[in-house]
Amino acid sequence: MDSTFETLRFICWNNFGSKRWLDWRKEMELLSDLVYYGLTTFSGYQTLGEEYASIVQVDPSKRRIPSRARHGLLVLGHAFLPYLLDKFLVSLENELEGGQESLSSVRRRQAASRAWSLESLLKRWMQRAMGQLSESQRRDCLPAVFVFHQGLTLLHRFHVALFYLSGSFYHLSKRMAGISYLRVMGLCMVGLDSSDRSIRSSYRLLGAVSLLQLVITVSLQLNSYRQRQRARKEWKLYRTLSPHCLESSSPRAAPCILCLEERRHPTSTPCGHLFCWECITEWCNTKAECPLCREKSQPHRLVYLRNYS
């Protein structure tokens, strides 16, 4: 799967440039997942990892190979559903925050979006749905979207801890499809529950530690909820005031070399070069170096210039 993704990345990067790659990175990840699991799981074959570990997928009866419908549900739940959910939440959050932006920035963002992309379709649907809400209702919905997004991450971590404790259904998609594994030994198949007890005990300990870490994480998030809300309000105020301040007190901002548009929310790399926040974070998450001088630049070392003009 990684080799498929790297091949698509190489083709897109060399033929269409870095900007197109950053725009289509998630779509390339989705395409590579669909191709890999379509040629293996959906076609009834083992993946490379399953073949190496000598395990096969079985349905809840543990006597039959899963049907194509179960395999299709597994592939869609593992690859397409997370992609669609992420696009939906990002589009919803952007639409809720759109009421706080100036009209010029909204138009600029709409013009920059691809007219035939999934983002544009979701945006139009969100605009019709959110257009019926008042400004106060939008402000109330935004924290709920943030909480839901964080809840998905906590749900995934909780599910992984359950896997360590029970030894089945590592992915949520496998639990949805009811697909588990049996180990193949010679001509017979042995259930995974016959594994060495010491190994199973160590995994159960890891599951208990994971649950404890999850409880601590939730407690810390609840304790810092007020600070986050205050920070989000300050950020909205800045985004509301910054376009007017820039228009009245400073000349037109220099263009970002990645998107070739006026620099929005200037961010500096450790070497001192400036880019848009969205552009440079996407770049560094893909390739941890400065696009100009190629100096190493980890995402956590980027500096957002809040009062830069």
Side-chain angles (χ1 to χ4, degrees):
M1 184 175 61
D2 292 338
S3 60
T4 305
F5 176 70
E6 288 300 321
T7 301
L8 292 174
R9 185 187 71 84
F10 177 80
I11 294 174
C12 184
W13 191 288
N14 287 275
N15 290 277
F16 303 103
S18 60
K19 184 178 185 300
R20 291 295 182 185
W21 162 248
L22 292 174
D23 289 340
W24 292 97
R25 180 174 59 86
K26 293 184 178 180
E27 283 74 13
M28 292 296 103
E29 292 178 355
L30 173 64
L31 180 60
S32 64
D33 286 344
L34 292 178
V35 170
Y36 179 76
Y37 289 110
L39 295 176
T40 55
T41 300
F42 186 72
S43 300
Y45 298 104
Q46 293 173 290
T47 64
L48 294 177
E50 293 168 357
E51 185 177 358
Y52 179 80
S54 298
I55 56 178
V56 295
Q57 297 179 2
V58 292
D59 63 8
S61 67
K62 298 187 181 298
R63 296 181 180 180
R64 293 187 301 271
I65 299 298
S67 63
R68 179 154 293 190
R70 287 185 182 273
H71 278 152
L73 180 60
L74 171 63
V75 174
L76 291 177
H78 185 74
F80 187 73
L81 184 59
Y83 166 81
L84 185 62
L85 187 59
D86 178 71
K87 291 291 185 182
F88 176 81
L89 290 176
V90 170
S91 179
L92 177 59
E93 187 172 8
N94 289 338
E95 183 62 30
L96 290 174
E97 291 179 343
Q100 307 296 327
E101 297 180 355
S102 64
L103 182 60
S104 60
S105 64
V106 172
R107 289 176 176 174
R108 182 177 61 245
R109 196 155 49 87
Q110 290 176 348
S113 63
R114 294 158 289 181
W116 49 274
S117 64
L118 179 61
E119 287 90 341
S120 63
L121 296 177
L122 287 174
K123 184 184 295 296
R124 286 193 290 269
W125 184 82
M126 287 293 177
Q127 286 175 348
R128 289 195 298 267
M130 296 294 106
Q132 303 176 359
L133 299 180
S134 63
E135 192 65 31
S136 60
Q137 290 174 329
R138 285 172 176 257
R139 289 195 297 267
D140 294 337
C141 289
L142 194 57
V145 175
F146 175 77
V147 171
F148 180 73
H149 197 280
Q150 294 297 315
L152 291 177
T153 303
L154 296 177
L155 176 63
H156 175 71
R157 293 175 57 182
F158 177 73
H159 187 268
V160 172
L162 288 182
F163 164 75
Y164 289 141
L165 293 173
S166 63
S168 59
F169 302 120
Y170 177 72
H171 292 290
L172 280 169
S173 56
K174 289 186 172 64
R175 187 177 295 275
M176 290 168 50
I179 294 178
S180 56
Y181 286 106
L182 288 179
R183 178 178 294 128
V184 180
M185 300 182 64
L187 298 178
C188 62
M189 293 192 297
V190 182
L192 292 180
D193 291 335
S194 63
S195 301
D196 183 75
R197 292 185 178 179
S198 61
I199 298 179
R200 293 296 303 275
S201 299
S202 62
Y203 275 106
R204 289 193 180 97
L205 177 61
L206 180 59
V209 173
S210 299
L211 285 177
L212 178 61
Q213 182 186 25
L214 181 61
V215 171
I216 295 175
T217 300
V218 172
S219 301
L220 293 176
Q221 289 183 350
L222 292 176
N223 290 333
S224 62
Y225 180 75
R226 292 182 178 178
Q227 288 78 2
R228 290 177 182 173
Q229 290 299 104
R230 189 185 309 116
R232 291 179 68 87
K233 290 180 180 179
E234 292 177 357
W235 170 246
K236 293 176 187 177
L237 179 62
Y238 168 75
R239 294 180 66 174
T240 304
L241 298 177
S242 59
H244 303 286
C245 296
L246 290 175
E247 290 176 2
S248 60
S249 62
S250 63
R252 180 180 177 86
C256 171
I257 68 166
L258 292 177
C259 64
L260 302 180
E261 297 178 359
E262 182 180 346
R263 206 160 47 217
R264 301 183 301 274
H265 313 309
T267 301
S268 173
T269 58
C271 52
H273 294 117
L274 301 180
F275 308 91
C276 299
W277 168 260
E278 295 85 357
C279 297
I280 191 59
T281 52
E282 287 288 343
W283 176 283
C284 290
N285 285 330
T286 304
K287 197 172 186 179
E289 63 180 25
C290 175
L292 281 176
C293 63
R294 305 301 179 185
E295 182 177 339
K296 294 297 182 182
S297 178
Q298 298 296 331
H300 67 273
R301 297 188 62 193
L302 298 175
V303 178
Y304 173 68
L305 306 179
R306 186 182 183 93
N307 296 314
Y308 175 82
S309 60

